[in-house]
Amino acid sequence: MTLWTSPEIAAATGGAASADFAVTGVAFDSREVGPGDLFVAMKGEATDGHRFLDQAFAQSAGGAIVSEPTGHPHVLVNDGFAALRALGHAGRARTAAKIIGVTGSVGKTSAKEALFAALDRSIPGQVHRSVKSYNNHTGVPLSLARMPREAAVGVFEMGMNHAGELADLTRMVRPDVAIVTAIAPAHTEFFPDESAIADAKGEIFQGLEPGGTAIVPFDSPHRNRLIAAARPHAARIVTFGLNDGADVRAIEAMRLPTGTFMTARIGDDELSVTIAQAGMHWVSNALAVLAAVQAVGADLGLAGLALADLGGLAGRGARRTIAVDGGEVLLIDESYNANPASMAATLAVLAHEPGRHVAVLGEMRELGAASPAYHAALAEPILAANVERALLVGEAMTPLAEALEGRIDFVHAPDVQAALVSLRRMLAAGDTVLVKGSNGVGLARLVAGLGGVT
C-alpha cells in the first residue's frame, strides 16, 4: 500500500518533486532499501548518501529525497536530515493512531517488542513500531515516517545519552502513553549521578498529548522524581512494580523451566500469565506492557497470551543450541548491550540454567570515572550465578579480572577474535553460555562465529 506520494513528500519537506511517484517504505541506509522504498540521501561526516543513489535504485527504490540534482525520481530539498525530520513530523501529524513512547536505562527495546506483540494480538496488522533500536535523532523520525496512515497504534522507542535529547524526540513523537521502564547506571560518563539520568529519562513526559498517561516504575528509588517530572504533563500517572502500592503489581512470580509465571493485579483486574522469558527484569517489563495495554484500551487477556509466545530477540535474550564435540551447548545471546543493572539481571537468569555455567562478558562502555568500580562489582553477581568459567573481553574488564583472581577460572581476552578462540577451547557439551557486553565490543560477531545466528 502507498505510504507516501511525491506531492505529499514535497509538501511535508518543502521540497520540489521531479515527477509523480509513490513509495511504500522509507530508508536512509542504502543497504536496507527494498522495492518501492523512498531513499533519503543524507550527508554526514563519514559519508554522503548521494553516492549510493544508483545502488538504491538498482534495488528498485521508488524515489529519493536528495539535496543534489539527480536523474532518478526525487524530491529536491535543502538538507536531507531536516527533510527526514519533517517527514517524521508529517507522519505523526496525519495519523489518528494512539501513540506509545518507551524509554528507560534498560529494557526499552524488549518492552517495545513485547508491547507490539501484545497489541498486535488484539488488533492484528494495525500496530506499527520502530524496528531494531532505531531510537535516536535519525531513527525516531525514520520510524515515524514509516508509520502507515491506517495504523491504529504506534509504539516508538526513544533513547538518549545526553540531557535534552529525549525532550526533542518526545515532542516529535507526541505520545499518548509514555513509559519509563527503569533507571540504572548507563551513559554515566555524561551524567553527574543517577538522579540526573532519571531527570533525562523523565523528559519523555514533556511530549505527552493532552489527556496522556505516564507509566512509571514504582520500585525505582527515583519513582518520586519521575512522578514529579510527569505531573505537569500527564492527566494520569500509573505505577508498575513488585511492591505493595504499585497500580499494576505482580502478586506472585515464580520461575518455570521455560520462562516465568506471574499473577498481576491491574486496577480491579487480575491476570495470570506465563512470560516466555526468564528473570524478574522480564516480570517488570511485562507489568509495564500490561499497564500500557490497559491505557490504550486493548485486550489484557490477549496481551497475556502474546507474552507467553514472545520469543527471545537477537542480542537480547535469544536462545540457541550450538553443536560442540560430544553434544550441544545452550547459548543465551545478550550481546547487544550492557550496563551494571542489565549485567546483574542476566547473570541472575544464568544462575538457574542447567549444566556448567560459562559467562562471556564484554566491557561496559560510557560509564566514565566510575567504570573501574562498576566492572569490579560484577564479581559478586558472577559468583552468585555459580559461573564456573568466565571469559572477559576488553581492557575495561581488568578491574573485574583482578576481583575474580583466585576465585573462579577465567580468561581475559583483548578483543572478540581472541575471545572466540578461547571460547571454542573452553566449551563442553551440556554447558550454558551467556554472552553479554556493550554493543561496541562486537560480541555479536562472537555469537555468529559460534554459529549462534541462523
Side-chain angles (χ1 to χ4, degrees):
M1 298 178 66
T2 296
L3 182 64
W4 297 97
T5 65
S6 55
E8 288 172 335
I9 298 166
T13 62
S18 68
D20 283 337
F21 61 84
V23 297
T24 55
V26 185
F28 58 67
D29 185 334
S30 61
R31 295 167 296 184
E32 296 183 357
V33 171
D37 281 352
L38 175 71
F39 175 53
V40 184
M42 296 190 294
K43 295 183 177 181
E45 295 180 3
T47 190
D48 182 347
H50 295 83
R51 293 171 45 206
F52 305 99
L53 280 165
D54 289 344
Q55 176 185 333
F57 280 93
Q59 295 165 200
S60 301
I65 290 178
V66 297
S67 56
E68 295 177 358
T70 177
H72 298 292
H74 67 271
V75 172
L76 183 64
V77 299
N78 291 327
D79 179 88
F81 173 64
L84 176 63
R85 284 180 60 92
L87 198 63
H89 278 289
R92 176 63 180 92
R94 74 181 182 179
T95 188
K98 287 289 186 181
I99 303 298
I100 304 172
V102 183
T103 194
S105 301
V106 292
K108 54 184 176 292
T109 301
S110 297
K112 179 255 298 181
E113 292 294 327
L115 188 51
F116 169 78
L119 293 167
D120 190 61
R121 186 67 68 99
S122 293
I123 44 174
Q126 299 181 62
V127 185
H128 171 74
R129 75 191 186 287
S130 48
V131 299
K132 300 182 179 178
S133 289
Y134 281 173
N135 62 19
N136 63 5
H137 63 291
T138 53
V140 168
L142 175 70
S143 298
L144 285 166
R146 287 173 165 176
M147 182 164 53
R149 64 191 81 210
E150 304 86 2
V153 181
V155 185
F156 297 91
E157 178 182 342
M158 288 175 269
M160 63 87 206
N161 57 17
H162 288 83
E165 291 178 338
L166 265 179
D168 175 63
L169 296 177
T170 191
R171 290 189 174 102
M172 189 181 306
V173 172
R174 293 192 286 118
D176 298 289
V177 178
I179 303 170
V180 176
T181 58
I183 303 298
H187 311 300
T188 54
E189 178 180 357
F190 308 113
F191 295 95
D193 53 33
E194 202 170 280
S195 294
I197 296 172
D199 290 340
K201 294 296 184 183
E203 292 173 11
I204 193 174
F205 304 126
Q206 296 175 18
L208 274 169
E209 288 286 272
T213 299
I215 298 178
V216 173
F218 182 84
D219 302 329
S220 171
H222 308 287
R223 175 188 68 214
N224 292 339
R225 202 176 193 95
L226 291 169
I227 289 173
R231 191 170 287 121
H233 310 285
R236 181 170 176 246
I237 300 173
V238 177
T239 59
F240 68 92
L242 306 177
N243 294 319
D244 290 344
D247 299 313
V248 178
R249 180 171 68 88
I251 301 170
E252 62 175 338
M254 63 184 73
R255 182 181 174 84
L256 301 175
T258 57
T260 308
F261 176 80
M262 173 184 75
T263 299
R265 178 166 290 141
I266 309 152
D268 295 329
D269 298 319
E270 281 192 15
L271 180 69
S272 293
V273 301
T274 298
I275 307 166
Q277 311 298 323
M280 295 308 294
H281 59 302
W282 262 104
V283 171
S284 183
N285 284 342
L287 292 169
V289 165
L290 294 174
V293 167
Q294 185 188 58
V296 298
D299 190 299
L300 286 169
L302 291 176
L305 293 176
L307 291 171
D309 291 341
L310 188 68
L313 307 175
R316 295 182 175 87
R319 291 174 175 235
R320 305 277 192 275
T321 52
I322 308 297
V324 297
D325 289 343
E328 295 178 330
V329 301
L330 171 64
L331 171 69
I332 304 173
D333 177 13
E334 288 274 1
S335 61
Y336 184 77
N337 217 340
N339 59 44
S342 64
M343 280 284 202
T346 50
L347 283 163
V349 170
L350 179 63
H352 298 279
E353 297 296 337
R356 188 179 63 158
H357 296 163
V358 179
V360 181
L361 305 178
E363 62 188 28
M364 303 176 292
R365 296 186 173 177
E366 296 186 354
L367 293 178
S371 177
Y374 281 127
H375 282 87
L378 292 178
E380 296 313 312
I382 287 171
L383 295 171
N386 298 315
V387 172
E388 295 175 61
R389 296 295 303 275
L391 178 54
L392 313 179
V393 187
E395 183 179 353
M397 279 295 191
T398 300
L400 176 57
E402 294 170 351
L404 291 175
E405 189 69 45
R407 304 172 79 179
I408 64 169
D409 291 333
F410 70 89
V411 174
H412 188 187
D415 52 39
V416 167
Q417 184 175 356
L420 183 57
V421 172
S422 294
L423 184 60
R424 284 176 173 151
R425 295 170 180 163
M426 189 181 294
L427 293 179
D431 287 351
T432 295
V433 54
L434 167 68
V435 180
K436 188 167 183 64
S438 286
N439 193 40
V441 180
L443 291 181
R445 299 197 305 276
L446 180 143
V447 171
L450 281 178
V453 176
T454 58

